[in-house]
Amino acid sequence: MHLLSDNLYVTAVLLLLVVIAEWLGQRKYFHYLGSTLIVIIAAAILANAHFLPSSQDASPVYEGIFIYAAPLGIFFLILDVRLKDLRAAGLPMIVMFLAGAAFSVAGVLISFYIIKPQLHGVRNAFAVAGMYTGTYIGGSANLNAVALQYGVNKDGTLFAAINASDNIITAVWMILTIFLPPFLQRLFPRKQAFVADTSSKVNNLNTDTVKEEMSILSIGMMLFLGIASLFLSQFITQLFPKIPSILTLTTLSLIFAQIPFVQKLKGSKIFGYFLVLLFLAVIGAYCDIHALISNGNIALTLLMWVTAIVFIHGILLFVLGAIFKQDWYIISIASNANIGGATSAAALATSLGRRDLRLPGILVGSLGTAIGTYIGIFVAEFLR
């Protein structure tokens, strides 16, 4: 379909999905699904029905959202955060995140020896193991980095299947981590490490954010700070490749967030959450069922593999958290920071009504971005 190659069409559909998801998320029968879940599902349906590009024919718009919109969403969300939010939730989040990273490595190694993907047509299985290690420690940026290291990105069919299986399971896991904390909290009540803002509504953009009064000054200054910081973070990464740009961007936003003048700017939460919803729409569109089907047995093997990895990660992390009686919300957000990265962790924290955990989730997600590639390459070399 010619429309799928039209960037304006793709952008318009994604924006409409965000509007529809937010509107439905506030309706009576969709309230408990929430806009974050609705936008993922809706985009996945449209992509697999060929009304949006999928991972096989990804639009340049998707890449632009990954490079610009998603990082800016993180930047704007952090502008609403104060460092005091880390006092209660910082250490538990870090511990759960690091445990989740270790369990992701365990999941990759255990499932590699059980499923034996190298015997089922998966070329360069050791490198794919490294890619999955990286992405399930800190997000898809690490997957791509490891792929470049071993040239897997040049094998188009395999790379499409790897990404499709990864995105499908990531989306499924994000959906589960939306429902698990409140469900487990009812069954096994845990003392929350930090009290959530009662003005926020679970699974929706909070009402006080919607009513924020924005001005040209606020909008202009926020956009200037965000775009200038994104430029600076990417420039620093070009000079020092070992420094992930997301860490620089997070640091700059965190510094700005403590400045009284910036604290008075209105609308950062709206901008941030809107861009995060755009990012999640693309995640949904990347859930490409056709990419898996077209690759037959290889796709099935990869899907089984990533399911096993995430299952082992999730079971071990939630069991560990249960043993030490950790806040279910912290466990869930830490796991999402591993599986989906910083942006997904921020979106989940907002969706669950735990704004206090948004910054800790973003920070550990950024840590995952920093270490995931190194650990991914280590695992690949270990299995080589």
Side-chain angles (χ1 to χ4, degrees), residues 126-158:
F126 72 93
V128 179
M131 292 167 64
Y132 283 143
T133 299
T135 194
Y136 295 140
I137 285 179
S140 59
N142 296 320
L143 181 146
N144 294 324
V146 178
L148 289 171
Q149 173 69 21
Y150 294 102
V152 179
N153 57 300
K154 296 178 182 178
D155 188 340
T157 302
L158 176 62

Side-chain angles (χ1 to χ4, degrees), residues 13-14 17 36-55 62 164 167-168 171-172 175 279-290:
V13 173
L14 291 175
L17 284 178
T36 54
L37 180 56
I38 292 171
V39 78
I40 292 174
I41 295 174
I45 292 173
L46 289 185
N48 286 282
H50 304 293
F51 289 104
L52 271 177
S54 63
S55 60
Y62 294 170
N167 283 294
I168 288 173
V172 169
I175 291 171
F279 164 78
L280 293 177
V282 176
I283 291 295
Y286 265 65
C287 295
D288 188 358
I289 304 298
H290 299 288

Side-chain angles (χ1 to χ4, degrees), residues 219-246:
I219 295 173
M221 182 56 68
M222 281 191 301
L223 288 175
F224 164 73
L225 291 175
I227 293 174
S229 297
L230 184 59
F231 164 76
L232 183 59
S233 65
Q234 293 180 352
F235 178 72
I236 290 175
T237 298
Q238 290 176 357
L239 294 178
F240 307 99
K242 291 186 178 181
I243 301 178
S245 62
I246 191 66

Side-chain angles (χ1 to χ4, degrees), residues 127-248:
V128 179
M131 292 167 64
Y132 283 143
T133 299
T135 194
Y136 295 140
I137 285 179
S140 59
N142 296 320
L143 181 146
N144 294 324
V146 178
L148 289 171
Q149 173 69 21
Y150 294 102
V152 179
N153 57 300
K154 296 178 182 178
D155 188 340
T157 302
L158 176 62
F159 194 63
I162 291 170
N163 276 281
S165 59
D166 172 39
N167 283 294
I168 288 173
I169 297 305
T170 296
V172 169
W173 186 245
M174 185 164 189
I175 291 171
L176 289 175
T177 51
I178 289 175
F179 288 108
L180 277 175
F183 174 73
L184 292 173
Q185 182 66 19
R186 285 193 295 270
L187 290 180
F188 310 102
R190 293 283 187 266
K191 181 179 179 181
Q192 294 187 2
F194 196 70
V195 179
D197 189 335
T198 56
S199 67
S200 62
K201 295 183 177 180
V202 175
N203 294 326
N204 285 287
L205 188 61
N206 47 56
T207 53
D208 62 339
T209 299
V210 174
K211 296 178 181 178
E212 275 191 319
E213 294 183 2
M214 293 184 289
S215 65
I216 297 296
L217 174 62
S218 291
I219 295 173
M221 182 56 68
M222 281 191 301
L223 288 175
F224 164 73
L225 291 175
I227 293 174
S229 297
L230 184 59
F231 164 76
L232 183 59
S233 65
Q234 293 180 352
F235 178 72
I236 290 175
T237 298
Q238 290 176 357
L239 294 178
F240 307 99
K242 291 186 178 181
I243 301 178
S245 62
I246 191 66
L247 283 181
T248 304

